Amino acid sequence: MRVIIVGGGIAGLTMANALEKAGIDFVMLEARARFDPQVGASIGLGPGAMRIFDQLGAAEAILDYTAPVRVSKVHRKNGNLIMPPSPAFQLVQAR
């Protein structure tokens, strides 16, 4: 059996890691030339994703190399504030 993974984003790379650990043959298909292009985007990992990374043995390493979001606020393109600073991420961190 060979698994085909379409897309080298966070979900595809996580699946590849899990399959590799399980000794299952796979091929990953990705439209970009690189799996890790520096395009200026960030990745938000919520409680559900971190549970999976914990099961894969990667959660501690992720926590060691990242910083939690403490407060967020949202602005329009013109700079006007849409959502005032919110400490909601502190509530999610415990999960």
Side-chain angles (χ1 to χ4, degrees), residues 9-92:
I10 189 70
L13 292 172
T14 301
M15 176 60 80
N17 183 271
L19 292 171
E20 185 175 64
K21 285 184 178 223
I24 298 172
D25 187 32
F26 67 91
V27 63
M28 180 179 288
L29 306 177
E30 171 56 48
R32 297 179 190 227
R34 293 181 52 158
F35 288 114
D36 63 344
Q38 298 298 314
V39 292
S42 60
I43 298 172
L45 299 174
M50 288 305 293
R51 274 191 222 101
I52 298 300
F53 285 124
D54 186 47
Q55 292 172 11
L56 294 171
E60 287 301 319
I62 290 170
L63 293 172
D64 288 346
Y65 288 95
T66 59
V69 175
R70 302 251 185 247
V71 176
S72 70
K73 56 185 177 177
V74 180
H75 295 267
R76 288 195 168 91
K77 287 181 184 180
N78 66 6
N80 290 344
L81 188 64
I82 296 173
M83 185 181 85
S86 168
F89 287 100
Q90 294 171 10
L91 300 172
V92 174

